[in-house]
């Protein structure tokens, strides 16, 4: 049995469900349903929800109830501007203070990421695994390892807070293909600069990498808006949890329609997909 207090276990379980994509974007959270799933009372559920609202992972005071935060294009741009400023400090610190073990961990992260990419290209990746989510986790860990190597706990704390929003954003745009090869090349360039203890090259590399990442995100939002316009009246509603189209209306909140999935029982705010 875990030595963690119950409220901490519930918080971590709910947080993991959000950041792993298990709980779909736009899905309305139901305290009773969550308490039943986790086999706890509603009290630790409420406490976990409050903490996740403070971390800006869940909405507050929303007419649609409590849902997972959806990142807007403006927020995404501001987020990347903050990352550019903070991660330049991180790579400078990593160039000075990274240990041999930390450099080895960074290199192994890149090798693991490349292995997944090559397995996907060769159709050797197991069908019961999600390579996109695995790559996202490796990407997050790569940047966090650099922050840890800076030996700056304040910087690490700030980047950890920001990373929650980055994870939500990546889950939100996961359905759009990204240039994994380009990202790998950018990461390798950054790693080699850090390994050579070259802060000037490392800061230039991270700045260029994050500017390109921001540009890729803007492009994804642009494509998404075009897809929504193209779908128009031919769109249909799917459950964000199980993708079932066996849906019924479940009341309205202001100008938005709520739905209930008859397959898995999840409540959510309607979002359309191309039919």
């Amino acid at each position: 049995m875990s030595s963690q207090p119950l409220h901490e276990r519930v918080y971590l379980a709910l947080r993991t469900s959000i950041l792993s994509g298990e709980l779909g974007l736009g899905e309305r959270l139901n305290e009773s349903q969550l308490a039943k799933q986790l086999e706890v009372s509603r009290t630790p559920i409420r406490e976990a929800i409050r903490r996740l609202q403070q971390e800006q992972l869940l909405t507050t005071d929303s007419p649609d109830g409590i849902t997972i935060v959806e990142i807007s294009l403006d927020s995404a741009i501001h987020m990347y501007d903050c990352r550019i400023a903070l991660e330049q400090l991180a790579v400078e610190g990593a160039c000075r203070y990274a240990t041999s073990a930390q450099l080895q961990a960074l290199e192994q992260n890149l090798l693991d990421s490349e292995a997944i990419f090559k397995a996907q290209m060769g159709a050797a990746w197991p069908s019961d695994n999600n390579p996109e989510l695995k790559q996202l986790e490796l990407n997050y860990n790569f940047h966090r390892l650099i922050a840890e190597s800076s030996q700056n706990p304040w910087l690490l704390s700030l980047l950890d807070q920001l990373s929650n929003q980055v994870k939500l954003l990546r889950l939100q745009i996961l359905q759009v293909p990204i240039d994994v090869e380009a990202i790998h090349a950018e990461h390798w360039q950054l790693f080699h600069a850090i390994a050579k203890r070259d802060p000037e090259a490392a800061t230039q590399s991270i700045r260029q990498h994050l500017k390109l990442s921001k540009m890729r995100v803007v492009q994804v939002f642009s494509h998404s808006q075009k897809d929504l316009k193209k779908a128009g009246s031919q769109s249909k509603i799917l459950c964000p949890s199980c993708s079932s189209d066996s849906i019924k209306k479940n009341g309205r909140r202001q100008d938005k329609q709520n739905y209930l999935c008859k397959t898995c029982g999840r409540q959510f705010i309607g979002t359309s997909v191309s039919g």
Side-chain angles (χ1 to χ4, degrees):
M1 182 178 294
S2 173
S3 60
Q4 290 179 318
L6 175 62
H7 68 274
E8 188 67 18
R9 296 202 304 271
V10 171
Y11 157 74
L12 291 173
L14 188 52
R15 186 176 183 274
T16 299
S17 295
I18 292 170
L19 295 179
S20 68
E22 182 181 339
L23 290 173
L25 291 168
E27 182 174 348
R28 186 178 173 189
L29 272 63
N30 182 287
E31 287 184 8
S32 298
Q33 187 176 8
L34 289 171
K36 185 177 180 181
Q37 289 174 352
L38 297 176
E39 299 181 336
V40 296
S41 71
R42 293 175 64 175
T43 300
I45 296 292
R46 291 194 192 102
E47 183 177 341
I49 287 174
R50 281 196 295 270
R51 289 178 65 179
L52 293 165
Q53 287 172 327
Q54 291 172 353
E55 294 176 16
Q56 299 183 51
L57 292 178
L58 296 177
T59 57
T60 58
D61 301 323
S62 169
D64 303 312
I66 299 171
T67 60
I68 297 171
V69 168
E70 293 192 45
I71 310 296
S72 68
L73 175 58
D74 285 344
S75 291
I77 290 172
H78 293 322
M79 187 189 307
Y80 271 90
D81 288 341
C82 289
R83 286 189 67 190
I84 290 169
L86 293 172
E87 294 202 37
Q88 285 185 89
L89 292 175
V91 298
E92 286 178 4
C95 286
R96 293 183 175 89
Y97 303 116
T99 64
S100 296
Q102 287 171 326
L103 290 175
Q104 289 174 4
L106 279 170
E107 184 175 23
Q108 188 59 54
N109 175 286
L110 295 177
L111 292 172
D112 290 344
S113 184
E114 274 196 355
I116 292 175
F117 176 69
K118 289 177 181 178
Q120 283 182 269
M121 295 299 98
W125 186 256
S127 59
D128 59 343
N129 281 310
N130 190 324
E132 288 80 13
L133 286 178
K134 295 283 186 182
Q135 288 283 22
L136 288 181
E137 190 63 24
L138 284 167
N139 186 298
Y140 162 72
N141 287 336
F142 177 77
H143 286 270
R144 195 178 196 282
L145 281 167
I146 292 174
E148 289 175 353
S149 302
S150 73
Q151 305 298 325
N152 186 333
W154 284 97
L155 181 60
L156 181 61
S157 176
L158 289 170
L159 285 170
D160 275 346
Q161 293 177 46
L162 191 58
S163 71
N164 290 334
Q165 308 304 311
V166 173
K167 285 185 176 182
L168 280 187
L169 174 63
R170 287 172 177 163
L171 287 171
Q172 187 174 322
I173 63 177
L174 192 60
Q175 72 276 13
V176 180
I178 58 174
D179 191 346
V180 177
E181 275 192 288
I183 293 172
H184 282 168
E186 292 161 20
H187 279 183
W188 275 113
Q189 182 181 39
L190 175 57
F191 166 72
H192 288 309
I194 294 173
K196 291 177 181 177
R197 312 286 182 178
D198 187 340
E200 184 177 346
T203 53
Q204 181 179 353
S205 180
I206 191 65
R207 187 166 56 245
Q208 179 68 4
H209 169 55
L210 291 177
K211 283 183 177 179
L212 289 171
S213 294
K214 181 170 74 169
M215 184 173 67
R216 286 187 281 260
V217 167
V218 171
Q219 290 173 344
V220 167
F221 271 89
S222 176
H223 287 312
S224 298
Q225 290 302 312
K226 289 178 182 177
D227 289 342
L228 285 173
K229 290 179 181 178
K230 185 177 179 181
S233 60
Q234 297 181 350
S235 62
K236 64 181 179 180
I237 301 298
L238 296 181
C239 173
S241 181
C242 69
S243 298
S244 170
D245 61 358
S246 181
I247 303 297
K248 73 174 184 179
K249 293 182 178 180
N250 192 36
R252 293 185 67 87
R253 294 236 176 167
Q254 292 191 355
D255 61 341
K256 293 188 178 182
Q257 179 68 55
N258 292 332
Y259 293 90
L260 175 68
C261 176
K262 291 190 272 187
T263 301
C264 69
R266 294 294 175 87
Q267 298 182 61
F268 62 96
I269 299 165
T271 53
S272 300
V273 297
S274 179

